[in-house]
Amino acid sequence: MRLFLCSVILSISSLARAETPAPDAAWDQTLAKAKGTEVVFSSWGGSDSINSWIDKWVAPEMAKRFGVKVKRQPYKDTVDVVNKLTSEKQAGKKADGSIDLVWINGENFKLAKTAGVLHGPFTDQLPSFRQYYDAKAPDITTDFGTPVDGFEAPYGKAQFVFVYDSAKVKEPPRSFEALRAWAAQNPGRFTYPAPPDFTGSAFVRQVVYATTGGYAQYLPKVDLELMAKKLPAAWSFLNAMKPHLWMKGETYPDGQPRLNQLYSDGEVWMTMGYSPTTAEAEMAKGTFPKSTRTFVMKEGTIANTHFVGIPFNAKNVEGGKVLANFLLSPDAQISKFDPKLWGDFPALDPTKLTDAQRQQLESIDLGISTLPVRELASHRVPEIQPEYLVQIEKEWAKQVAQKKASH
């Protein structure tokens, strides 16, 4: 199966040619300083596939190509990293930090940028960024509505999908109202992670979109009063679903890994996540049944770009830049697009690739469970400002998590 990365470039991709970058003396100095060093990469540790890709592909390639050792430092939630950096800044620890590059985006990027705990701007110093990315694309210049301003580099793209076992679910619910009805008809077979887990938070935001009149009203500016007026409809929806959830809604999985395990064990018949190729990767490992498939809601599902940034007190700034540049390179972006390795969608602009690179990208088999790229693209909806995320997560805890399910 040959799937093209993005339907909007079909008519122009054959005309695109990559340009050979001019010699970069400053970058050569960065490479020289980084050689022989260790770079600590703080990355979400909740996926075995991602961890394996970093440890078994990125690290060996970095050592071979640049003489740089990569040490992966896993975290459960990015906010823990941001809080650590903020505490270090307040304590006056301006150098010799323990992290050289961090996977970050969304509200955590805004927190970090506002607190001044990121090094930069630096993305325009990266040859890969200059050569292979559309520096003016909205999903590159902003992150959940926050201007990037060169303080983080695009790592990949994600879109939320629902995952189900087609052997048990003959026709998946394709709207949130249908999902509520399905949960009532199949008690105990659906649940979602508890916010502020990012997967659970995204699920709840999509419920907010679906039950309060759509996302567009929240885009022009942050209006917390408007959101406060709208949220009761979402809480009413979720509380009506609550008694039909796994464990009768008395508890929730603490993250996507736990939800995936429940799905693997057959306790629930659906899971969810930000990677459209997750199901394919898990089936290849044998953790998900071969009957696993994915779907998106007719209302759409959230899509975004994730990034990497360099902490303000990184001990190895040059190493962080070299690793960031490599993660942005066509080799790395194409590698991680393969569901057998990770399945993360590339953030680069395919029109800037060579013919050979583009053929590599197009030849990747995304598998039977992955929705066609065009279908995914037609159902994308944007993220909203981080201030809304904080409000939604706090209110969910009060209005849903702490409310006893009515049976």
Side-chain angles (χ1 to χ4, degrees):
M1 178 174 64
R2 293 169 62 84
L3 294 176
F4 207 68
L5 176 62
C6 185
S7 60
V8 297
I9 67 166
L10 284 171
S11 62
I12 62 173
S13 63
S14 61
L15 302 177
R17 296 292 185 274
E19 299 176 358
T20 301
D24 190 336
W27 185 248
D28 288 343
Q29 291 179 359
T30 299
L31 290 172
K33 290 180 180 179
K35 189 172 183 179
T37 66
E38 178 181 83
V39 57
V40 178
F41 181 27
S42 187
S43 173
W44 178 61
S47 165
D48 291 340
S49 296
I50 299 173
N51 296 342
S52 178
W53 181 72
I54 295 171
D55 294 341
K56 297 180 181 179
W57 191 86
V58 173
E61 289 296 318
M62 282 287 293
K64 181 173 66 176
R65 300 184 191 204
F66 310 107
V68 175
K69 181 181 178 182
V70 175
K71 179 182 178 182
R72 180 176 57 84
Q73 184 183 91
Y75 61 71
K76 183 177 180 180
D77 195 316
T78 327
V79 72
D80 297 333
V81 179
V82 176
N83 289 338
K84 176 182 179 181
L85 293 174
T86 303
S87 297
E88 288 178 351
K89 184 174 183 181
Q90 292 172 346
K93 189 176 181 180
K94 299 179 181 179
D96 293 330
S98 59
I99 299 169
D100 302 311
L101 192 72
V102 58
W103 181 2
I104 190 170
N105 78 315
E107 69 271 33
N108 293 308
F109 169 66
K110 183 165 187 175
L111 284 171
K113 187 184 179 191
T114 301
V117 296
L118 292 176
H119 169 84
F122 74 96
T123 53
D124 61 350
Q125 300 169 26
L126 308 181
S128 290
F129 181 78
R130 297 198 302 265
Q131 187 176 2
Y132 298 109
Y133 290 75
D134 181 357
K136 295 182 180 179
D139 59 350
I140 298 295
T141 60
T142 60
D143 185 355
F144 283 54
T146 302
V148 170
D149 294 331
F151 282 87
E152 57 179 2
Y155 185 22
K157 292 189 177 183
Q159 183 170 351
F160 199 96
V161 296
F162 291 86
V163 178
Y164 71 104
D165 187 345
S166 63
K168 299 171 180 175
V169 183
K170 299 305 180 184
E171 184 58 40
R174 298 186 186 275
S175 71
F176 283 94
E177 194 56 51
L179 176 63
R180 180 165 67 172
W182 185 91
Q185 294 163 5
N186 299 274
R189 300 304 185 181
F190 180 81
T191 189
Y192 57 95
D197 167 77
F198 61 85
T199 301
S201 181
F203 171 78
V204 172
R205 288 200 299 283
Q206 289 168 119
V207 170
V208 171
Y209 288 6
T211 58
T212 66
Y215 63 84
Q217 61 190 315
Y218 307 120
L219 294 181
K221 63 176 181 178
V222 176
D223 186 342
L224 298 182
E225 291 185 3
L226 170 66
M227 180 63 82
K229 291 177 182 177
K230 296 282 187 172
L231 283 178
W235 308 149
S236 177
F237 176 95
L238 290 170
N239 282 322
M241 182 187 283
K242 189 172 184 177
H244 308 301
L245 298 180
W246 171 75
M247 298 295 290
K248 298 183 178 181
E250 294 174 1
T251 187
Y252 296 82
D254 62 0
Q256 184 188 20
R258 174 59 177 147
L259 178 59
N260 283 351
Q261 186 61 53
L262 292 174
Y263 176 78
S264 297
D265 293 342
E267 289 195 51
V268 298
W269 294 351
M270 293 186 191
T271 181
M272 61 190 72
Y274 261 119
S275 173
T277 60
T278 289
E280 204 64 28
E282 295 297 331
M283 283 196 295
K285 292 190 299 183
T287 54
F288 282 6
K290 293 297 183 183
S291 49
T292 296
R293 299 293 184 269
T294 60
F295 70 98
V296 289
M297 297 297 193
K298 68 177 184 179
E299 296 99 331
T301 56
I302 289 174
N304 62 43
T305 301
H306 42 271
F307 300 78
V308 289
I310 298 174
F312 78 104
N313 61 355
K315 186 176 183 178
N316 187 3
V317 172
E318 288 78 14
K321 289 178 181 178
V322 173
L323 177 55
N325 187 68
F326 180 61
L327 294 175
L328 269 62
S329 71
D331 283 356
Q333 292 284 305
I334 292 170
S335 171
K336 70 182 178 67
F337 190 37
D338 187 342
K340 296 182 183 67
L341 298 178
W342 176 355
D344 190 44
F345 276 49
L348 49 66
D349 181 349
T351 67
K352 296 180 181 292
L353 297 176
T354 64
D355 287 341
Q357 289 167 336
R358 198 160 43 252
Q359 287 170 7
Q360 276 186 282
L361 199 62
E362 294 173 28
S363 68
I364 291 175
D365 186 353
L366 297 183
I368 192 171
S369 67
T370 305
L371 294 172
V373 174
R374 288 180 179 177
E375 183 176 352
L376 288 167
S378 68
H379 287 82
R380 288 181 186 137
V381 297
E383 296 280 9
I384 49 179
Q385 298 270 15
E387 289 88 345
Y388 287 131
L389 273 63
V390 173
Q391 183 182 27
I392 291 169
E393 289 171 357
K394 286 183 177 179
E395 287 301 305
W396 178 87
K398 294 178 183 176
Q399 303 300 331
V400 180
Q402 295 175 16
K403 291 288 179 71
K404 201 165 183 65
S406 55
H407 301 287

